[in-house]
Amino acid sequence: MSDQLAPTGQGNSPAGGTAGYAERADALAVQYEEVTFEEVHFDVLRLVPAEPCRILDVGAGTGRDAAPLAARGHSVVAVEPTTELRAHGQRIHADSGIDWVDDVLPDLALSQHAGRFDAVFATAVWMHLDAEERRHAMARIAALLVPGGRFFVNLRHGPVPESRRMFAVSAAETVELGSTYGLRTVHRSERPDLHGRDNVWWSSLVLQMNDADHSPN
């Protein structure tokens, strides 16, 4: 599928992926918290690490996913570049023990959080990146995963909301890109939108890092 930006998209800078979120943060915080971590990730719960480990949640929003992961005993770093959403998350999940970070893909510097992670989550994030940003981001995610670590990706499909920057990104493309950086697919499925939007659906992917370090050409 060609990488085509909807007419409502914003610019070409990495920060463009956050366009439209600050203005609607209050409403989005309510929307995000209407569904649970278990509902969103129902198909892949069996693949979430059972033993306490180090997890990165990229584009964490209000921490809806990060908080339950922390409650399971994991050490969770939640990356959220939109100040307003991050503030809601810090308020809603104040006692969760989440380590909040202001950072963004594709660079994802994580300057205060060196080391690798056992799992990385990117829920409703990947389609905000253009083709070159996705390539850069996948390389970065691969570098952040321990051997055998898993990358949980939820892709949104359907019309682009007003003033958002999104691209048409298929599950097949994401699987292929992951394989370039040593990630093999261990789960792939689709589901309808949990908020009942008929024209929106989701792909759920879990990509697992090779057991040995992978250094792409």
Side-chain angles (χ1 to χ4, degrees), residues 26-40:
D26 292 350
L28 288 172
V30 174
Q31 177 183 318
Y32 293 165
E33 295 291 329
E34 284 177 344
V35 294
T36 67
F37 170 81
E38 288 76 16
E39 289 171 329
V40 173

Side-chain angles (χ1 to χ4, degrees), residues 66-71 73-78 89-90 93-100:
L69 287 167
H74 301 301
S75 174
V76 181
V77 176
Q90 291 170 321
H93 302 292
D95 299 323
S96 64
I98 299 169
D99 192 351
W100 288 93

Side-chain angles (χ1 to χ4, degrees), residues 158-182:
V160 179
E162 176 105 19
S163 67
R164 303 278 183 85
R165 182 215 197 210
M166 292 184 187
F167 297 88
V169 184
S170 69
E173 177 209 297
T174 308
V175 164
E176 183 177 356
L177 181 60
S179 68
T180 303
Y181 293 97

Side-chain angles (χ1 to χ4, degrees), residues 16-69:
T18 65
Y21 282 90
E23 298 84 348
R24 298 197 62 238
D26 292 350
L28 288 172
V30 174
Q31 177 183 318
Y32 293 165
E33 295 291 329
E34 284 177 344
V35 294
T36 67
F37 170 81
E38 288 76 16
E39 289 171 329
V40 173
H41 301 285
F42 177 79
D43 290 345
V44 300
L45 288 177
R46 62 187 172 80
L47 296 172
V48 177
E51 297 299 319
C53 65
R54 197 165 185 241
I55 294 181
L56 178 67
D57 187 10
V58 183
T62 57
R64 179 209 57 216
D65 294 348
L69 287 167

Side-chain angles (χ1 to χ4, degrees), residues 177-188:
L177 181 60
S179 68
T180 303
Y181 293 97
L183 292 156
R184 64 182 179 88
T185 303
V186 296
H187 176 87
R188 177 176 173 178

